[in-house]
Amino acid sequence: MQKLLSEAGNVLKADGSPNPGYSTREVLQYRRGDIRANPFRIKEWDFYQIEDREGRYCLQLTYGHASYIGQIGVMMFDISTGKFIVNQSVLTILPFGSMHLPESASKDNLIDYHKGKTRVHFETRNHERNLHLVMENGFEAKLHLTPMVSHALIINIPFDQSPRQFYYNYKLNCMDCEGSVYYTEDGQKKALCFGQGKGETPAYALLDWGRGVWPFSNEWFWSNGTGEAEGKLLGFNLGCGFGNTSQATENILFYEGEPHKLGKVKITHQADYMKPWSLQDEEGRCNLKMTPEYDRVTRDKILFVNNCTHQVFGRFNGTVTLDDGRILHVSNLPAFAEHAVNNW
């Protein structure tokens, strides 16, 4: 039984433990000052991913921290070839609250950060998002994101390792992306333009907005995608492996703008990550297979930090069932599934 959060409240109780549950609109208030746990375990991030609708180019923007280290990062790569076009990061040591990440994912807010030649200006206004990021070596992104649905997936879950550890997460996919990315490749200045106009590349965007106090070691599986099923907009978010999900899972479908909540989902892969993946729920409402095309592997090992993530992009096929029992056939939808093992 999952707990639907429908009344306004705080993410954390007075003793620092979370109010568990899920919602499709932001009803809880995250307040950093309510945390009653080791400050070195706090993690906060805003992660954006833009993927063109044909599933060739992927752009990822990261702004966040794990208390003892902060990161402003950009990755852009060609899924069809596995070639990295841009891969840059700026790290800050012991940033704590200096990065000023907002305490709301959906209300109007602004991130305005400068360090050397790096500039971050992420603004949320009236649920639309303007992202402006400048990095070294001539990289610049100017993007405008517009939600195509009025719902998101929000979960607030505890970790069993400690009553004051929690994960408050807001995931919003089904966003349209317009704008341009400027970069240097092979010594030449180039641009990639997203949008619906002539010479532009249609693209969808995803926001993964996370705040929480995490245990040092954790593992998760996560899959997210936006595309079409039977001629209508379909988005999905699926995940498992971390936290106590007895009262809330992050599994959901969005179809024609409406949310359809799922229970527990199992995501499995073979030893070879480029072999087909399986994504199935316990109630038989999700039966998807992913045929991989590219495995973006990231490994970070600095002092006691030891992280490894396989984010595998591919084509999804199968069926999903809506709340009213209608079965949708998913065909060749470009999306990703990932497996992460972190010590951080």
mmCIF file of all heavy atoms in Angstrom, residues 109-146:
data_model
loop_
_atom_site.group_PDB
_atom_site.id
_atom_site.type_symbol
_atom_site.label_atom_id
_atom_site.label_comp_id
_atom_site.label_asym_id
_atom_site.label_seq_id
_atom_site.Cartn_x
_atom_site.Cartn_y
_atom_site.Cartn_z
ATOM 1 N N ASN A 109 12.162 30.025 -8.599
ATOM 2 C CA ASN A 109 13.434 30.088 -7.893
ATOM 3 C C ASN A 109 14.550 30.392 -8.879
ATOM 4 O O ASN A 109 14.354 30.346 -10.105
ATOM 5 C CB ASN A 109 13.710 28.795 -7.116
ATOM 6 C CG ASN A 109 13.797 27.579 -8.020
ATOM 7 O OD1 ASN A 109 14.742 27.442 -8.791
ATOM 8 N ND2 ASN A 109 12.797 26.688 -7.942
ATOM 9 N N LEU A 110 15.732 30.665 -8.337
ATOM 10 C CA LEU A 110 16.869 31.039 -9.173
ATOM 11 C C LEU A 110 18.155 30.486 -8.580
ATOM 12 O O LEU A 110 18.407 30.622 -7.378
ATOM 13 C CB LEU A 110 16.972 32.565 -9.277
ATOM 14 C CG LEU A 110 18.204 33.121 -10.007
ATOM 15 C CD1 LEU A 110 18.182 32.721 -11.479
ATOM 16 C CD2 LEU A 110 18.287 34.632 -9.840
ATOM 17 N N ILE A 111 18.947 29.838 -9.418
ATOM 18 C CA ILE A 111 20.329 29.491 -9.100
ATOM 19 C C ILE A 111 21.223 30.430 -9.896
ATOM 20 O O ILE A 111 21.123 30.490 -11.127
ATOM 21 C CB ILE A 111 20.643 28.026 -9.464
ATOM 22 C CG1 ILE A 111 19.854 27.067 -8.574
ATOM 23 C CG2 ILE A 111 22.139 27.749 -9.344
ATOM 24 C CD1 ILE A 111 19.989 25.612 -8.983
ATOM 25 N N ASP A 112 22.058 31.179 -9.213
ATOM 26 C CA ASP A 112 22.958 32.133 -9.867
ATOM 27 C C ASP A 112 24.343 31.953 -9.256
ATOM 28 O O ASP A 112 24.590 32.399 -8.136
ATOM 29 C CB ASP A 112 22.444 33.557 -9.674
ATOM 30 C CG ASP A 112 23.122 34.545 -10.611
ATOM 31 O OD1 ASP A 112 23.779 34.105 -11.570
ATOM 32 O OD2 ASP A 112 23.012 35.766 -10.383
ATOM 33 N N TYR A 113 25.226 31.290 -9.977
ATOM 34 C CA TYR A 113 26.522 30.888 -9.436
ATOM 35 C C TYR A 113 27.627 31.257 -10.414
ATOM 36 O O TYR A 113 27.529 30.993 -11.614
ATOM 37 C CB TYR A 113 26.519 29.372 -9.189
ATOM 38 C CG TYR A 113 27.806 28.812 -8.634
ATOM 39 C CD1 TYR A 113 28.006 28.701 -7.259
ATOM 40 C CD2 TYR A 113 28.818 28.372 -9.490
ATOM 41 C CE1 TYR A 113 29.188 28.167 -6.749
ATOM 42 C CE2 TYR A 113 29.997 27.841 -8.977
ATOM 43 C CZ TYR A 113 30.176 27.746 -7.614
ATOM 44 O OH TYR A 113 31.340 27.222 -7.107
ATOM 45 N N HIS A 114 28.688 31.854 -9.904
ATOM 46 C CA HIS A 114 29.865 32.189 -10.708
ATOM 47 C C HIS A 114 31.107 31.664 -10.006
ATOM 48 O O HIS A 114 31.266 31.830 -8.798
ATOM 49 C CB HIS A 114 30.014 33.708 -10.870
ATOM 50 C CG HIS A 114 28.932 34.341 -11.666
ATOM 51 N ND1 HIS A 114 28.914 35.680 -11.972
ATOM 52 C CD2 HIS A 114 27.813 33.832 -12.230
ATOM 53 C CE1 HIS A 114 27.842 35.971 -12.678
ATOM 54 N NE2 HIS A 114 27.151 34.867 -12.835
ATOM 55 N N LYS A 115 31.975 31.041 -10.772
ATOM 56 C CA LYS A 115 33.290 30.668 -10.264
ATOM 57 C C LYS A 115 34.255 30.658 -11.438
ATOM 58 O O LYS A 115 34.170 29.795 -12.320
ATOM 59 C CB LYS A 115 33.270 29.297 -9.587
ATOM 60 C CG LYS A 115 34.639 28.931 -9.000
ATOM 61 C CD LYS A 115 34.613 27.587 -8.293
ATOM 62 C CE LYS A 115 35.989 27.283 -7.695
ATOM 63 N NZ LYS A 115 36.022 25.983 -7.003
ATOM 64 N N GLY A 116 35.181 31.612 -11.463
ATOM 65 C CA GLY A 116 36.082 31.734 -12.591
ATOM 66 C C GLY A 116 35.298 31.993 -13.866
ATOM 67 O O GLY A 116 34.466 32.896 -13.934
ATOM 68 N N LYS A 117 35.537 31.176 -14.884
ATOM 69 C CA LYS A 117 34.818 31.307 -16.149
ATOM 70 C C LYS A 117 33.513 30.509 -16.175
ATOM 71 O O LYS A 117 32.797 30.523 -17.178
ATOM 72 C CB LYS A 117 35.720 30.866 -17.300
ATOM 73 C CG LYS A 117 36.939 31.757 -17.508
ATOM 74 C CD LYS A 117 37.757 31.297 -18.705
ATOM 75 C CE LYS A 117 38.960 32.204 -18.922
ATOM 76 N NZ LYS A 117 39.778 31.777 -20.088
ATOM 77 N N THR A 118 33.230 29.813 -15.080
ATOM 78 C CA THR A 118 32.006 29.017 -15.013
ATOM 79 C C THR A 118 30.854 29.865 -14.493
ATOM 80 O O THR A 118 30.968 30.519 -13.455
ATOM 81 C CB THR A 118 32.202 27.803 -14.089
ATOM 82 O OG1 THR A 118 33.277 27.016 -14.585
ATOM 83 C CG2 THR A 118 30.935 26.956 -14.030
ATOM 84 N N ARG A 119 29.741 29.853 -15.220
ATOM 85 C CA ARG A 119 28.563 30.615 -14.817
ATOM 86 C C ARG A 119 27.326 29.731 -14.939
ATOM 87 O O ARG A 119 27.126 29.053 -15.944
ATOM 88 C CB ARG A 119 28.388 31.864 -15.686
ATOM 89 C CG ARG A 119 29.558 32.835 -15.635
ATOM 90 C CD ARG A 119 29.270 34.084 -16.447
ATOM 91 N NE ARG A 119 28.084 34.770 -15.937
ATOM 92 C CZ ARG A 119 27.530 35.831 -16.549
ATOM 93 N NH1 ARG A 119 28.038 36.277 -17.680
ATOM 94 N NH2 ARG A 119 26.477 36.414 -16.025
ATOM 95 N N VAL A 120 26.518 29.739 -13.897
ATOM 96 C CA VAL A 120 25.273 28.971 -13.876
ATOM 97 C C VAL A 120 24.133 29.929 -13.565
ATOM 98 O O VAL A 120 24.158 30.629 -12.545
ATOM 99 C CB VAL A 120 25.312 27.853 -12.815
ATOM 100 C CG1 VAL A 120 24.010 27.058 -12.838
ATOM 101 C CG2 VAL A 120 26.505 26.943 -13.037
ATOM 102 N N HIS A 121 23.149 29.954 -14.440
ATOM 103 C CA HIS A 121 21.954 30.770 -14.217
ATOM 104 C C HIS A 121 20.758 29.899 -14.601
ATOM 105 O O HIS A 121 20.379 29.819 -15.764
ATOM 106 C CB HIS A 121 22.001 32.042 -15.067
ATOM 107 C CG HIS A 121 20.911 33.025 -14.734
ATOM 108 N ND1 HIS A 121 21.080 34.053 -13.834
ATOM 109 C CD2 HIS A 121 19.640 33.125 -15.173
ATOM 110 C CE1 HIS A 121 19.967 34.753 -13.742
ATOM 111 N NE2 HIS A 121 19.080 34.206 -14.548
ATOM 112 N N PHE A 122 20.193 29.209 -13.606
ATOM 113 C CA PHE A 122 19.034 28.354 -13.798
ATOM 114 C C PHE A 122 17.840 29.019 -13.123
ATOM 115 O O PHE A 122 17.816 29.190 -11.900
ATOM 116 C CB PHE A 122 19.251 26.970 -13.171
ATOM 117 C CG PHE A 122 20.283 26.119 -13.862
ATOM 118 C CD1 PHE A 122 20.656 24.892 -13.326
ATOM 119 C CD2 PHE A 122 20.873 26.503 -15.057
ATOM 120 C CE1 PHE A 122 21.598 24.089 -13.946
ATOM 121 C CE2 PHE A 122 21.818 25.710 -15.690
ATOM 122 C CZ PHE A 122 22.185 24.494 -15.130
ATOM 123 N N GLU A 123 16.844 29.389 -13.901
ATOM 124 C CA GLU A 123 15.673 30.084 -13.349
ATOM 125 C C GLU A 123 14.407 29.287 -13.641
ATOM 126 O O GLU A 123 14.177 28.847 -14.768
ATOM 127 C CB GLU A 123 15.547 31.483 -13.940
ATOM 128 C CG GLU A 123 14.376 32.267 -13.371
ATOM 129 C CD GLU A 123 14.269 33.682 -13.911
ATOM 130 O OE1 GLU A 123 14.871 33.942 -14.982
ATOM 131 O OE2 GLU A 123 13.598 34.509 -13.289
ATOM 132 N N THR A 124 13.583 29.122 -12.607
ATOM 133 C CA THR A 124 12.262 28.529 -12.741
ATOM 134 C C THR A 124 11.225 29.618 -12.525
ATOM 135 O O THR A 124 11.247 30.302 -11.496
ATOM 136 C CB THR A 124 12.044 27.405 -11.713
ATOM 137 O OG1 THR A 124 13.036 26.392 -11.906
ATOM 138 C CG2 THR A 124 10.659 26.786 -11.863
ATOM 139 N N ARG A 125 10.347 29.789 -13.485
ATOM 140 C CA ARG A 125 9.305 30.814 -13.383
ATOM 141 C C ARG A 125 8.047 30.302 -14.085
ATOM 142 O O ARG A 125 8.095 29.904 -15.245
ATOM 143 C CB ARG A 125 9.762 32.129 -14.018
ATOM 144 C CG ARG A 125 8.773 33.293 -13.833
ATOM 145 C CD ARG A 125 9.348 34.593 -14.369
ATOM 146 N NE ARG A 125 10.529 35.004 -13.617
ATOM 147 C CZ ARG A 125 10.479 35.690 -12.464
ATOM 148 N NH1 ARG A 125 9.304 36.005 -11.949
ATOM 149 N NH2 ARG A 125 11.579 36.036 -11.861
ATOM 150 N N ASN A 126 6.938 30.319 -13.328
ATOM 151 C CA ASN A 126 5.665 29.831 -13.864
ATOM 152 C C ASN A 126 5.805 28.416 -14.446
ATOM 153 O O ASN A 126 5.249 28.106 -15.500
ATOM 154 C CB ASN A 126 5.117 30.791 -14.920
ATOM 155 C CG ASN A 126 4.790 32.151 -14.341
ATOM 156 O OD1 ASN A 126 4.349 32.269 -13.199
ATOM 157 N ND2 ASN A 126 5.024 33.192 -15.121
ATOM 158 N N HIS A 127 6.571 27.596 -13.748
ATOM 159 C CA HIS A 127 6.778 26.177 -14.076
ATOM 160 C C HIS A 127 7.640 25.967 -15.317
ATOM 161 O O HIS A 127 7.929 24.812 -15.657
ATOM 162 C CB HIS A 127 5.438 25.451 -14.244
ATOM 163 C CG HIS A 127 4.581 25.497 -13.020
ATOM 164 N ND1 HIS A 127 4.864 24.775 -11.874
ATOM 165 C CD2 HIS A 127 3.455 26.202 -12.745
ATOM 166 C CE1 HIS A 127 3.950 25.022 -10.958
ATOM 167 N NE2 HIS A 127 3.091 25.884 -11.453
ATOM 168 N N GLU A 128 8.039 27.018 -15.999
ATOM 169 C CA GLU A 128 8.973 26.887 -17.107
ATOM 170 C C GLU A 128 10.386 27.172 -16.613
ATOM 171 O O GLU A 128 10.571 27.839 -15.597
ATOM 172 C CB GLU A 128 8.589 27.824 -18.253
ATOM 173 C CG GLU A 128 7.214 27.511 -18.820
ATOM 174 C CD GLU A 128 6.881 28.328 -20.054
ATOM 175 O OE1 GLU A 128 7.727 29.156 -20.476
ATOM 176 O OE2 GLU A 128 5.777 28.158 -20.607
ATOM 177 N N ARG A 129 11.377 26.662 -17.341
ATOM 178 C CA ARG A 129 12.753 26.729 -16.857
ATOM 179 C C ARG A 129 13.661 27.288 -17.947
ATOM 180 O O ARG A 129 13.631 26.834 -19.101
ATOM 181 C CB ARG A 129 13.231 25.327 -16.426
ATOM 182 C CG ARG A 129 12.394 24.783 -15.279
ATOM 183 C CD ARG A 129 12.637 23.303 -15.010
ATOM 184 N NE ARG A 129 11.611 22.828 -14.092
ATOM 185 C CZ ARG A 129 11.699 22.875 -12.760
ATOM 186 N NH1 ARG A 129 12.790 23.354 -12.190
ATOM 187 N NH2 ARG A 129 10.719 22.443 -11.995
ATOM 188 N N ASN A 130 14.471 28.270 -17.543
ATOM 189 C CA ASN A 130 15.494 28.820 -18.416
ATOM 190 C C ASN A 130 16.860 28.445 -17.848
ATOM 191 O O ASN A 130 17.179 28.802 -16.707
ATOM 192 C CB ASN A 130 15.362 30.340 -18.512
ATOM 193 C CG ASN A 130 14.161 30.756 -19.331
ATOM 194 O OD1 ASN A 130 14.079 30.462 -20.526
ATOM 195 N ND2 ASN A 130 13.204 31.415 -18.695
ATOM 196 N N LEU A 131 17.636 27.728 -18.640
ATOM 197 C CA LEU A 131 18.938 27.247 -18.206
ATOM 198 C C LEU A 131 20.022 27.927 -19.028
ATOM 199 O O LEU A 131 20.007 27.855 -20.271
ATOM 200 C CB LEU A 131 19.040 25.728 -18.393
ATOM 201 C CG LEU A 131 17.896 24.872 -17.840
ATOM 202 C CD1 LEU A 131 18.177 23.398 -18.106
ATOM 203 C CD2 LEU A 131 17.669 25.127 -16.362
ATOM 204 N N HIS A 132 20.948 28.574 -18.347
ATOM 205 C CA HIS A 132 22.088 29.196 -19.015
ATOM 206 C C HIS A 132 23.344 28.749 -18.283
ATOM 207 O O HIS A 132 23.518 29.023 -17.100
ATOM 208 C CB HIS A 132 21.966 30.728 -18.993
ATOM 209 C CG HIS A 132 23.035 31.407 -19.791
ATOM 210 N ND1 HIS A 132 23.321 32.749 -19.655
ATOM 211 C CD2 HIS A 132 23.910 30.931 -20.732
ATOM 212 C CE1 HIS A 132 24.308 33.067 -20.476
ATOM 213 N NE2 HIS A 132 24.676 31.988 -21.142
ATOM 214 N N LEU A 133 24.192 28.029 -18.990
ATOM 215 C CA LEU A 133 25.415 27.497 -18.405
ATOM 216 C C LEU A 133 26.590 27.827 -19.313
ATOM 217 O O LEU A 133 26.547 27.574 -20.518
ATOM 218 C CB LEU A 133 25.309 25.977 -18.233
ATOM 219 C CG LEU A 133 26.550 25.249 -17.718
ATOM 220 C CD1 LEU A 133 26.884 25.692 -16.292
ATOM 221 C CD2 LEU A 133 26.364 23.741 -17.776
ATOM 222 N N VAL A 134 27.636 28.392 -18.720
ATOM 223 C CA VAL A 134 28.871 28.698 -19.438
ATOM 224 C C VAL A 134 30.007 27.962 -18.746
ATOM 225 O O VAL A 134 30.164 28.048 -17.521
ATOM 226 C CB VAL A 134 29.155 30.212 -19.460
ATOM 227 C CG1 VAL A 134 30.480 30.496 -20.173
ATOM 228 C CG2 VAL A 134 28.012 30.967 -20.137
ATOM 229 N N MET A 135 30.808 27.236 -19.540
ATOM 230 C CA MET A 135 31.939 26.487 -19.003
ATOM 231 C C MET A 135 33.215 26.898 -19.733
ATOM 232 O O MET A 135 33.203 27.730 -20.637
ATOM 233 C CB MET A 135 31.702 24.985 -19.173
ATOM 234 C CG MET A 135 30.465 24.441 -18.479
ATOM 235 S SD MET A 135 30.627 24.280 -16.685
ATOM 236 C CE MET A 135 31.624 22.793 -16.581
ATOM 237 N N GLU A 136 34.320 26.270 -19.343
ATOM 238 C CA GLU A 136 35.594 26.507 -20.018
ATOM 239 C C GLU A 136 35.528 26.022 -21.473
ATOM 240 O O GLU A 136 34.628 25.299 -21.872
ATOM 241 C CB GLU A 136 36.710 25.754 -19.287
ATOM 242 C CG GLU A 136 36.892 26.151 -17.827
ATOM 243 C CD GLU A 136 37.724 27.418 -17.668
ATOM 244 O OE1 GLU A 136 38.239 27.906 -18.693
ATOM 245 O OE2 GLU A 136 37.849 27.896 -16.528
ATOM 246 N N ASN A 137 36.519 26.433 -22.243
ATOM 247 C CA ASN A 137 36.700 25.951 -23.616
ATOM 248 C C ASN A 137 35.527 26.283 -24.528
ATOM 249 O O ASN A 137 35.254 25.561 -25.496
ATOM 250 C CB ASN A 137 36.964 24.446 -23.639
ATOM 251 C CG ASN A 137 38.192 24.069 -22.837
ATOM 252 O OD1 ASN A 137 39.166 24.821 -22.792
ATOM 253 N ND2 ASN A 137 38.162 22.919 -22.181
ATOM 254 N N GLY A 138 34.802 27.349 -24.211
ATOM 255 C CA GLY A 138 33.793 27.846 -25.128
ATOM 256 C C GLY A 138 32.450 27.173 -25.080
ATOM 257 O O GLY A 138 31.580 27.464 -25.913
ATOM 258 N N PHE A 139 32.207 26.265 -24.115
ATOM 259 C CA PHE A 139 30.893 25.634 -24.040
ATOM 260 C C PHE A 139 29.872 26.604 -23.451
ATOM 261 O O PHE A 139 30.115 27.265 -22.443
ATOM 262 C CB PHE A 139 30.920 24.374 -23.178
ATOM 263 C CG PHE A 139 29.555 23.757 -23.025
ATOM 264 C CD1 PHE A 139 29.064 22.876 -23.978
ATOM 265 C CD2 PHE A 139 28.734 24.089 -21.946
ATOM 266 C CE1 PHE A 139 27.795 22.330 -23.851
ATOM 267 C CE2 PHE A 139 27.466 23.549 -21.821
ATOM 268 C CZ PHE A 139 26.995 22.663 -22.778
ATOM 269 N N GLU A 140 28.697 26.657 -24.077
ATOM 270 C CA GLU A 140 27.596 27.467 -23.557
ATOM 271 C C GLU A 140 26.276 26.812 -23.950
ATOM 272 O O GLU A 140 26.109 26.358 -25.081
ATOM 273 C CB GLU A 140 27.650 28.887 -24.113
ATOM 274 C CG GLU A 140 26.568 29.805 -23.552
ATOM 275 C CD GLU A 140 26.717 31.253 -23.999
ATOM 276 O OE1 GLU A 140 27.533 31.501 -24.923
ATOM 277 O OE2 GLU A 140 26.021 32.123 -23.455
ATOM 278 N N ALA A 141 25.365 26.752 -23.003
ATOM 279 C CA ALA A 141 24.020 26.232 -23.255
ATOM 280 C C ALA A 141 22.997 27.285 -22.862
ATOM 281 O O ALA A 141 23.080 27.861 -21.777
ATOM 282 C CB ALA A 141 23.781 24.943 -22.469
ATOM 283 N N LYS A 142 22.055 27.547 -23.755
ATOM 284 C CA LYS A 142 20.922 28.423 -23.485
ATOM 285 C C LYS A 142 19.662 27.654 -23.862
ATOM 286 O O LYS A 142 19.375 27.445 -25.048
ATOM 287 C CB LYS A 142 21.015 29.712 -24.304
ATOM 288 C CG LYS A 142 22.151 30.639 -23.903
ATOM 289 C CD LYS A 142 22.105 31.919 -24.729
ATOM 290 C CE LYS A 142 23.182 32.909 -24.297
ATOM 291 N NZ LYS A 142 23.134 34.163 -25.097
ATOM 292 N N LEU A 143 18.919 27.209 -22.849
ATOM 293 C CA LEU A 143 17.804 26.303 -23.077
ATOM 294 C C LEU A 143 16.552 26.787 -22.366
ATOM 295 O O LEU A 143 16.621 27.344 -21.269
ATOM 296 C CB LEU A 143 18.154 24.898 -22.580
ATOM 297 C CG LEU A 143 19.433 24.271 -23.157
ATOM 298 C CD1 LEU A 143 19.772 22.996 -22.412
ATOM 299 C CD2 LEU A 143 19.289 24.012 -24.645
ATOM 300 N N HIS A 144 15.410 26.539 -22.989
ATOM 301 C CA HIS A 144 14.108 26.851 -22.394
ATOM 302 C C HIS A 144 13.286 25.565 -22.363
ATOM 303 O O HIS A 144 13.054 24.941 -23.403
ATOM 304 C CB HIS A 144 13.379 27.921 -23.215
ATOM 305 C CG HIS A 144 12.038 28.291 -22.648
ATOM 306 N ND1 HIS A 144 11.900 29.097 -21.540
ATOM 307 C CD2 HIS A 144 10.779 27.951 -23.022
ATOM 308 C CE1 HIS A 144 10.625 29.252 -21.269
ATOM 309 N NE2 HIS A 144 9.922 28.558 -22.146
ATOM 310 N N LEU A 145 12.864 25.166 -21.158
ATOM 311 C CA LEU A 145 12.126 23.918 -20.969
ATOM 312 C C LEU A 145 10.687 24.219 -20.577
ATOM 313 O O LEU A 145 10.437 25.002 -19.653
ATOM 314 C CB LEU A 145 12.789 23.062 -19.888
ATOM 315 C CG LEU A 145 14.302 22.814 -20.019
ATOM 316 C CD1 LEU A 145 14.772 21.884 -18.916
ATOM 317 C CD2 LEU A 145 14.670 22.289 -21.378
ATOM 318 N N THR A 146 9.756 23.574 -21.271
ATOM 319 C CA THR A 146 8.334 23.769 -21.015
ATOM 320 C C THR A 146 7.675 22.434 -20.712
ATOM 321 O O THR A 146 7.698 21.523 -21.560
ATOM 322 C CB THR A 146 7.640 24.399 -22.233
ATOM 323 O OG1 THR A 146 8.304 25.618 -22.588
ATOM 324 C CG2 THR A 146 6.178 24.694 -21.928
#
